[in-house]
């Protein structure tokens, strides 16, 4: 199946460079997340993309209030291959985990981390939680706190079987890391080898499910038109 | 005094590549950066178990020796290195070898230690 990384879009050349590096690191593909005010899914047509490397587009919603989040989810729900929310705020995380249209909540290590209710809602609605390693790599002052939150989040996600994603969350080429190094780092906050392998493959599952849903093949969870 | 080879600590040689913007990086600066990020991540005790030592640095490619048991920790520590003397870097582990000879032969052209 291969490993997939979630990266943020910061200019055409920068993204192109990152995609080439991800290919060199052994990833099978990447999901490029656009900020909600600069969504341009057709930009890939003018890019030189690596061969045998799948690139998907996603939208990352930045919301400062719950009403704003609802509005943006309604606006972007049919666009892109994946809909993500920039979390880090307890209320936003909780609200995002209750929305079935949302696929991914990023930066859950911000704020107080997630609680058992958020983890349960996310598991029920199929919302994945992201472990962004750049938050850990670039935190000089509060590294123990971030590792602690990630560890607590992981325990809750494991209990409620919430889907999880391991990604670099990179914005330029220096933020990217090879999959094996990502797995080594995830081991520090308690992820097992099987969990980290599963979380590196998870983005493709989400994109695949979304595509089937958009094409009308997937009617709801467990009900699918085969022919 | 020499210890018998069967009693010596088992070692691994990590071959890595550095991604930087072109400025030459000295071995000492790199080792300082690794030590500093390692100490903040796994602490002095963890670093002592890893038993890291730089064997060779040729431009952007290098060999780092570590204990066999601490290999995964070394991977995590190298992942955390992002800045050397104010310059942004990323370290990519290419391979891990059991002997210097093989590592040098496979990944360095000059084949000298």
């Amino acid at each position: 199946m291969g490993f997939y990384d979630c990266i943020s879009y910061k200019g055409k050349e920068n993204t192109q460079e990152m995609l080439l590096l991800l290919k060199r690191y052994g990833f099978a593909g990447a999901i490029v997340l656009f900020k909600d005010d600069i969504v341009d899914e057709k930009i890939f047509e003018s890019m030189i993309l690596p061969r045998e490397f799948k690139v998907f587009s996603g939208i990352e919603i930045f919301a400062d209030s719950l009403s704003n989040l609802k509005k943006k989810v309604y606006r972007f729900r049919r666009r892109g291959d994946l809909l993500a929310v920039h979390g880090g705020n307890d209320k936003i995380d909780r609200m995002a985990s209750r929305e079935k249209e949302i696929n991914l909540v990023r930066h859950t290590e911000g704020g107080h981390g997630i609680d058992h209710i958020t983890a349960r809602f996310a598991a029920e609605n199929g919302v994945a939680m992201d472990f962004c390693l750049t938050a850990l790599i670039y935190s000089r002052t509060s590294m123990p706190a971030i590792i602690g939150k990630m560890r607590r989040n992981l325990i809750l996600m494991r209990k409620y079987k919430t889907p999880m994603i391991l990604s670099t969350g990179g914005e330029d080429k220096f933020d990217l890391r090879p999959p094996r190094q990502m797995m080594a780092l995830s081991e520090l906050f308690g992820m097992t080898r099987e969990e980290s392998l599963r979380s590196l493959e998870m983005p493709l599952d989400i994109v695949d499910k979304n595509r089937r849903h958009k094409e009308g093949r997937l009617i709801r969870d467990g009900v699918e038109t085969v022919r | 005094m020499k210890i018998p080879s069967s009693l010596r600590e088992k070692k691994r040689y990590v071959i890595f590549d550095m991604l930087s913007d072109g400025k030459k990086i000295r071995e000492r600066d790199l080792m300082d950066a690794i030590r500093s990020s390692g100490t903040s991540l796994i602490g002095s005790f963890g670093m002592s178990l890893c038993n890291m030592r730089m064997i060779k640095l040729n431009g952007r490619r290098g060999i780092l020796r570590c204990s066999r048991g601490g290999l995964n920790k070394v991977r995590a520590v190298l992942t955390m290195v992002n800045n050397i003397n104010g310059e942004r870097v990323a370290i990519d582990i290419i391979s891990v070898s059991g002997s210097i000879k093989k590592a040098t032969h496979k990944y360095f052209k000059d084949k000298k230690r």
Side-chain angles (χ1 to χ4, degrees):
Chain A
M1 251 173 92
F3 302 139
Y4 291 80
D5 195 10
C6 293
I7 57 172
S8 300
Y9 178 81
K10 283 275 161 78
K12 194 176 148 188
E13 278 82 32
N14 186 30
T15 309
Q16 208 166 292
E17 219 173 24
M18 284 165 80
L19 294 174
L20 286 169
L21 192 61
L22 283 174
K23 165 87 182 164
R24 207 187 87 188
Y25 282 165
F27 284 93
I31 296 171
V32 181
L33 292 170
F34 292 90
K35 223 174 157 186
D36 53 14
D37 52 350
I38 48 156
V39 183
D40 186 7
E41 294 121 318
K42 287 180 181 171
I43 195 114
F44 299 124
E45 289 167 13
S46 60
M47 270 189 200
I48 304 163
L49 300 174
R51 280 181 187 176
E52 293 172 10
F53 187 82
K54 289 178 187 167
V55 181
F56 303 106
S57 68
I59 296 159
E60 187 174 7
I61 294 174
F62 288 76
D64 46 5
S65 65
L66 298 181
S67 57
N68 194 4
L69 176 68
K70 271 200 164 179
K71 267 184 214 162
K72 283 185 175 177
V73 169
Y74 188 74
R75 201 196 320 165
F76 293 110
R77 69 201 164 124
R78 296 274 177 249
R79 291 178 68 182
D81 296 311
L82 186 143
L83 188 62
V85 170
H86 187 97
N89 178 326
D90 301 344
K91 282 184 180 171
I92 298 279
D93 288 353
R94 173 78 65 86
M95 186 73 203
S97 66
R98 295 177 74 166
E99 286 283 341
K100 281 192 174 174
E101 305 284 350
I102 294 170
N103 305 121
L104 179 65
V105 184
R106 303 183 84 202
H107 297 285
T108 44
E109 72 284 338
H112 294 104
I114 60 165
D115 56 8
H116 60 291
I117 303 165
T118 308
R120 203 185 68 212
F121 277 140
E124 282 169 5
N125 297 317
V127 179
M129 298 274 171
D130 192 4
F131 287 98
C132 265
L133 295 183
T134 40
L136 189 60
I137 293 169
Y138 290 102
S139 68
R140 276 274 159 251
T141 50
S142 59
M143 199 192 291
I146 287 179
I147 292 177
K149 277 179 210 166
M150 283 181 163
R151 186 183 292 270
R152 217 162 353 115
N153 289 354
L154 179 70
I155 291 167
L156 289 170
M157 285 182 209
R158 205 179 272 157
K159 181 176 164 71
Y160 292 101
K161 296 188 178 66
T162 312
M164 47 185 142
I165 281 180
L166 187 63
S167 76
T168 52
E171 291 184 351
D172 66 13
K173 61 178 181 178
F174 293 110
D175 297 344
L176 305 178
R177 298 290 185 272
R180 201 173 284 193
Q181 280 173 249
M182 288 168 72
M183 279 157 66
L185 202 56
S186 69
E187 215 170 81
L188 288 180
F189 54 79
M191 241 189 205
T192 59
R193 192 182 147 77
E194 286 73 30
E195 278 170 345
S196 46
L197 282 171
R198 183 85 197 92
S199 351
L200 282 166
E201 289 170 352
M202 182 60 84
L204 184 66
D205 287 355
I206 296 172
V207 169
D208 194 39
K209 193 178 161 190
N210 275 351
R211 288 207 164 164
R212 278 186 288 147
H213 189 68
K214 270 183 193 170
E215 286 164 10
R217 280 191 284 152
L218 186 71
I219 296 150
R220 56 175 297 171
D221 284 341
V223 185
E224 192 175 347
T225 317
V226 183
R227 277 190 191 177
Chain B
M1 201 181 287
K2 242 183 168 183
I3 308 170
S5 60
S6 59
L7 295 179
R8 278 180 221 157
E9 186 194 36
K10 299 284 179 285
K11 295 170 204 126
R12 285 291 177 266
Y13 298 91
V14 178
I15 301 110
F16 62 88
D17 236 346
M18 262 186 299
L19 186 73
S20 69
D21 273 338
K23 209 173 154 187
K24 202 183 173 194
I25 292 162
R26 288 186 305 166
E27 196 178 311
R28 208 163 130 195
D29 296 335
L30 174 63
M31 213 50 217
D32 282 347
I34 291 173
R35 265 191 217 112
S36 130
S37 67
T39 314
S40 62
L41 186 70
I42 54 175
S44 307
F45 179 68
M47 282 296 277
S48 74
L49 295 176
C50 292
N51 198 11
M52 275 191 255
R53 193 182 155 189
M54 187 69 73
I55 301 291
K56 182 176 186 167
L57 184 66
N58 192 354
R60 289 183 186 180
R61 188 165 284 187
I63 301 177
L64 185 78
R65 190 183 77 188
C66 66
S67 65
R68 189 179 61 181
L71 180 63
N72 244 2
K73 276 182 197 153
V74 172
R75 275 205 184 110
V77 168
L78 292 185
T79 309
M80 293 297 289
V81 177
N82 56 39
N83 195 316
I84 299 175
N85 277 350
E87 197 184 346
R88 292 192 71 193
V89 291
I91 295 178
D92 163 28
I93 296 174
I94 305 170
S95 176
V96 178
S97 173
S99 70
I100 299 181
K101 191 179 172 184
K102 275 270 181 170
T104 315
H105 186 75
K106 206 171 173 185
Y107 295 100
F108 290 86
K109 280 179 184 172
D110 58 340
K111 295 178 185 175
K112 283 176 199 166
R113 197 184 152 182

